[in-house]
Amino acid sequence: MKRIWIFGAGGVVALVLVAFGIVWFSPAAQDAVLRRVVAANVGVNDAVLAPGALHVVLCGTGSPMPDPERAQSCAAVYAGGKLFMVDAGLGGWDRLAAFQLPVGGITGVLITHFHSDHISGLPDIALNTWAAGRREALALYGPPGIEDVAAGFDLAYSHDDGYRIAHHGPDFFSEAGAQSRPIVVEVPDRDSAVTVFDEDGVKITAFRVSHEPVDPAYGYRIDYQGRSVVFSGDTGKDANIARFGVGADVIIHDALAPHMVALLEEGLAARGDRRAKVMHDIPDYHATPVEAAEVANQAGAKLLVYSHIVPRLPNALAHRVFLRGVSDVRPNGVMIGYDGLYLELSAGSDRIVQRDLR
């Protein structure tokens, strides 16, 4: 029996080598293989378009600090036939493409504030939604100053847009689709919440959060058929998250672990690296994991998801250190978000279905 097994294994190896040789040297076989690869990678993950549910996909859970596992701030929310992006950090589009999510019908982008890691991916979102079928100007919602951001990107990419229209034709790349349409969201004070969008059962409200010296900085709440998700944007511990996020199903909250950042500051200072000052300064305008948990408890949120993770968490030990003290405050209903986390919140239910799109 042993000899038969060895002979059989050898035969399999020989067949594999023959098949490899055919593919390696035959253009027709190479094209056949590549067609299969293309077919597997150009499909659309249309589960997020299913009616009767609020769908949330995290496409960027990182920060300005380099992290190969996390794009910068980016989320996609599908509801009622609408698609809203919440922030558009660098690398977010790459994640959306990898997850094969439909984007041509994007309704708008909700910008929380103008730090680079929340707007640096806008050109990629603009180009690829344009190519995917968007024919109107890209709606950009944000605090006062969003008109400057829109005008700046439009100017910077005006030559590129012109080349693409000339190459592919205005029937494919509409001239209107090359533009941004800034929509200034004015939230007069910390006691106010302003309705940003209210159509087809999708309601979006904006409220102020604490991210000084950034002012104003906004959080957003999205409600649809009795389900809701709140995005904190970047903020320190802020009662407004609990106040305007009361009863939310999900709160997606930025989080910085100061005990870990302090170690980075110590290491950078020891070698004379001026970036130690950055590590020294940033803890005062981000909530800690424990503080975010306290806010989620006050809001009565079913699930707290950490995003805008600082610092990088390369392994299980780092995850454990990041969460130090959280279980004392909130033992359940908390998780570290990641690029590719998909949450489905069906109407008429209190369930939060989690899937991994990676």
Side-chain angles (χ1 to χ4, degrees):
M1 293 298 293
K2 184 176 181 181
R3 289 183 180 178
I4 293 174
W5 182 85
I6 292 173
F7 178 79
V12 170
V13 171
L15 287 174
V16 170
L17 290 174
V18 169
F20 175 80
I22 291 173
V23 173
W24 189 258
F25 293 104
S26 168
Q30 293 163 5
D31 291 348
V33 171
L34 291 177
R35 283 192 183 94
R36 293 176 66 89
V37 173
V38 169
N41 286 277
V42 296
V44 175
N45 184 352
D46 58 5
V48 294
L49 300 177
L54 179 65
H55 308 268
V56 181
V57 178
L58 298 187
C59 45
T61 56
S63 73
M65 300 173 66
D67 188 337
E69 296 180 351
R70 300 178 186 274
Q72 294 177 353
S73 294
C74 173
V77 179
Y78 295 82
K82 313 297 183 186
L83 163 59
F84 278 93
M85 305 292 299
V86 182
D87 285 329
L90 191 65
W93 166 255
D94 294 341
R95 297 294 195 262
L96 290 175
F99 306 150
Q100 299 178 313
L101 294 175
V103 296
I106 188 170
T107 311
V109 183
L110 306 168
I111 301 297
T112 60
H113 65 292
F114 305 132
H115 268 145
S116 62
D117 57 311
H118 294 255
I119 62 173
S120 53
L122 274 174
D124 290 335
I125 299 295
L127 171 60
N128 286 284
T129 57
W130 190 26
R134 178 179 55 79
R135 301 193 62 79
E136 303 300 325
L138 179 62
L140 302 179
Y141 298 79
I146 189 66
E147 62 272 49
D148 298 330
V149 172
F153 277 124
D154 283 352
L155 178 60
Y157 283 84
S158 59
H159 293 292
D160 175 72
D161 294 338
Y163 302 148
R164 296 184 189 280
I165 294 171
H167 188 189
H168 301 285
D171 289 338
F172 185 83
F173 274 126
S174 72
E175 293 185 5
Q179 304 301 308
S180 301
R181 178 168 64 94
I183 301 171
V184 179
V185 178
E186 295 271 8
V187 181
D189 53 54
R190 286 185 50 81
D191 295 326
S192 303
V194 173
T195 299
V196 171
F197 183 89
D198 193 354
E199 293 182 17
D200 299 324
V202 179
K203 183 177 181 180
I204 303 175
T205 52
F207 53 90
R208 289 188 178 231
V209 294
S210 305
H211 197 44
E212 291 78 10
V214 178
D215 184 42
Y218 293 165
Y220 291 99
R221 174 173 178 146
I222 302 178
D223 288 274
Y224 179 68
Q225 293 193 2
R227 306 307 299 271
S228 54
V229 58
V230 172
F231 295 88
S232 73
D234 285 5
T235 182
K237 184 179 182 181
D238 195 314
N240 266 3
I241 304 295
R243 178 182 182 184
F244 296 112
V246 64
D249 292 289
V250 180
I251 292 179
I252 298 174
H253 205 300
D254 70 317
L256 176 149
H259 50 292
M260 301 176 77
V261 171
L263 295 176
L264 291 175
E265 178 188 353
E266 179 183 305
L268 290 169
R271 71 183 194 193
D273 192 316
R274 70 191 304 271
R275 289 173 294 181
K277 175 174 171 50
V278 177
M279 298 300 107
H280 177 79
D281 292 345
I282 58 176
D284 69 356
Y285 67 171
H286 287 288
T288 71
V290 170
E291 289 173 337
E294 291 170 342
V295 168
N297 288 347
Q298 293 164 8
K302 297 181 181 69
L303 177 65
L304 168 65
V305 180
Y306 294 120
S307 190
H308 197 281
I309 305 297
V310 180
R312 180 187 170 204
L313 306 177
N315 52 47
L317 177 61
H319 279 69
R320 182 175 179 82
V321 175
F322 182 83
L323 292 173
R324 185 180 295 165
V326 171
S327 61
D328 296 333
V329 173
R330 187 179 173 92
N332 299 300
V334 59
M335 66 181 298
I336 297 176
Y338 57 86
D339 296 10
L341 174 63
Y342 168 36
L343 304 175
E344 181 180 299
L345 290 72
S346 296
S349 169
D350 60 0
R351 294 184 63 215
I352 302 172
V353 178
Q354 300 177 23
R355 298 190 180 93
D356 189 339
L357 298 183
R358 293 176 296 182

